[in-house]
Amino acid sequence: MAGVPDLAGQLVRAAVLADRRAGASWEQIGAGLGVSAEAARSRFGRTRSVARAGRSG
């Protein structure tokens, strides 16, 4: 069973992916998370490619 921190992390990743698909900039996402655009991009920049890889199987 996943713990609360794991579930929260999954929720944040899903929100970042949805925001990027909707056209949000890394600056906007970073501001919402309280981090810089670079920090947001570094942490979540591969979210889209990971999501795509998960769908191919």
Side-chain angles (χ1 to χ4, degrees):
M1 177 150 88
V4 172
D6 291 334
L7 294 174
Q10 291 173 16
L11 181 60
V12 171
R13 282 188 293 279
V16 168
L17 179 59
D19 284 350
R20 289 294 292 160
R21 286 183 176 162
S25 69
W26 287 114
E27 289 83 11
Q28 292 169 317
I29 292 170
L33 295 171
V35 300
S36 69
E38 181 62 31
R41 187 181 312 113
S42 175
R43 182 170 177 191
F44 300 106
R46 296 180 58 93
T47 301
R48 183 171 289 176
S49 62
V50 169
R52 285 184 187 152
R55 282 191 241 144
S56 65

